[in-house]
Amino acid sequence: MTTSTVTAPPSDAAPRKDAAQDPARARLRRRLARWGFVAPAVLFMLLFFGYPLVRNVVMSFQHYTPKTFFTGEAPFNGADNWSSVFQDALFGKALWHTLVFTAGSLLGQFCIGLALAVFFNRRFPLNGVLRSLILLPWLVPMVVSGIVWRRILDQDTGVLNTFLDTLGPGGHTPWLTSPGMALLSVILVNIWIGIPFNLVILYGGLQEIPKELYEAASLDGASAWRAFRSVTLPMLKPVITVVLVLGFMSTVKILDLILALTDGGPADATQTLGTLTYQNSFVELDFGAGAVVGNVLILISAVFAVFYLRANRTEGK
């Protein structure tokens, strides 16, 4: 007698269940893939930006000295570091010098850079060669530029005073040794360094402006100045925002150029928040006070970063 076994047909509940779970699994895989791409950048930001920032804030509330590196002891002292820094008259002078230095540098760099960008926006022989030569100050390290200009501006043996001496009076101008001239000299040197950056960005923005707009303005009888005000500047507004904000964030914290030119002198005439941070931390070895000034710089930069993001968002809308 033969016994036959009848196999029941597989239930379709399992396939339906798997089919229902597939979209959820696919979404989970896509989400994990997105986080997999983002995770390295987030980890990098946390390690190299987040941790130093938090550590600097904590240090500003500690009595942090060279002894701390050996003992590890850095007792909290509340707001003593902050009060001592804000009550120091040098902090007020450094803050004012920083504002003057930043505003003067940005104004000079932007105006000259925009004028050169408009000039090079036309076709003429050696256009590319001249633009390449103007980029040289941007390629030279800032410390090297500072040392070279310190030799040029030397009161007794500098090239500039030697040249002025051949023209008449004024050949012994104390460019870097007079409290009234030092800050102006540093601003002029920084303008020379920052012109190429403004030129490159603004020139790129000018290349994106449609030529038809200038043709329409010309047909309407607009002069060159009128076309510049009514066509060039409005179309360049997003680029101008980028140039000014990025220029501010790089200028407000300049340290190496001032150290190479004047070392913050004479008589603290070129002392800025950047040089004050360096002096407190690595000259006076008061790391808590240096962290306070550094946090002030970070706060100022953050305010302008928010302004930059809001401006870009407004332009996008």
Side-chain angles (χ1 to χ4, degrees):
M1 180 177 180
T2 306
T3 304
S4 61
T5 304
V6 179
T7 304
S11 175
D12 58 349
R16 284 199 300 268
K17 184 177 180 181
D18 292 341
Q21 288 180 349
D22 281 344
R25 291 178 179 177
R27 286 195 298 270
L28 178 61
R29 285 196 296 267
R30 288 196 297 268
R31 190 175 304 168
L32 292 176
R34 287 196 295 266
W35 276 107
F37 284 110
V38 174
V42 173
L43 183 61
F44 177 84
M45 294 291 291
L46 290 176
L47 288 178
F48 295 98
F49 291 93
Y51 174 75
L53 178 61
V54 173
R55 192 69 190 89
N56 195 65
V57 173
V58 173
M59 188 184 299
S60 65
F61 294 97
Q62 292 178 311
H63 182 63
Y64 209 98
T65 63
K67 184 179 179 182
T68 305
F69 292 100
F70 300 98
T71 64
E73 298 177 358
F76 283 88
N77 56 4
D80 290 349
N81 293 331
W82 292 82
S83 61
S84 63
V85 168
F86 289 155
Q87 292 173 6
D88 188 2
L90 184 57
F91 175 79
K93 291 178 61 177
L95 179 60
W96 171 247
H97 293 160
T98 301
L99 295 177
V100 173
F101 172 76
T102 304
S105 298
L106 290 182
L107 182 62
Q109 293 171 0
F110 174 76
C111 291
I112 299 176
L114 179 59
L116 290 175
V118 173
F119 174 74
F120 283 112
N121 197 37
R122 302 174 299 170
R123 292 180 178 272
F124 60 88
L126 301 180
N127 185 310
V129 175
L130 293 177
R131 278 191 289 120
S132 301
L133 292 177
I134 292 179
L135 291 179
L136 290 179
W138 196 24
L139 303 177
V140 178
M142 195 168 292
V143 174
V144 177
S145 298
I147 294 174
V148 171
W149 274 101
R150 184 168 185 169
R151 296 293 301 272
I152 293 174
L153 299 176
D154 187 86
Q155 181 177 354
D156 299 321
T157 61
V159 175
L160 181 58
N161 276 345
T162 302
F163 173 73
L164 293 177
D165 194 33
T166 61
L167 301 179
H172 296 283
T173 304
W175 298 102
L176 300 177
T177 56
S178 170
M181 293 289 298
L183 184 59
L184 175 61
S185 301
V186 174
I187 291 174
L188 293 176
V189 173
N190 192 51
I191 289 174
W192 176 81
I193 293 174
I195 287 174
F197 172 77
N198 287 259
L199 168 62
V200 169
I201 304 300
L202 294 172
Y203 178 80
L206 288 175
Q207 294 292 304
E208 297 299 322
I209 300 178
K211 304 299 181 184
E212 293 79 6
L213 296 179
Y214 292 105
E215 295 175 0
S218 178
L219 292 176
D220 290 338
S223 61
W225 173 244
R226 178 68 178 178
F228 177 78
R229 290 191 297 113
S230 302
V231 177
T232 304
L233 287 182
M235 295 297 293
L236 274 182
K237 187 177 179 181
V239 181
I240 291 174
T241 302
V242 172
V243 168
L244 292 180
V245 174
L246 295 182
F248 175 88
M249 296 180 67
S250 63
T251 303
V252 73
K253 59 181 178 60
I254 280 182
L255 169 66
D256 42 3
L257 176 65
I258 300 177
L259 289 181
L261 284 171
T262 62
D263 198 20
D268 296 321
T270 57
Q271 197 78 257
T272 62
L273 292 180
T275 59
L276 185 59
T277 304
Y278 172 82
Q279 178 175 319
N280 286 339
S281 298
F282 301 106
V283 177
E284 300 178 3
L285 300 180
D286 189 351
F287 298 101
V292 171
V293 183
N295 288 329
V296 173
L297 270 176
I298 293 173
L299 181 61
I300 294 174
S301 299
V303 169
F304 275 82
V306 171
F307 167 76
Y308 167 65
L309 294 175
R310 289 177 63 88
N312 273 2
R313 187 179 304 170
T314 303
E315 290 295 334
K317 292 179 181 179

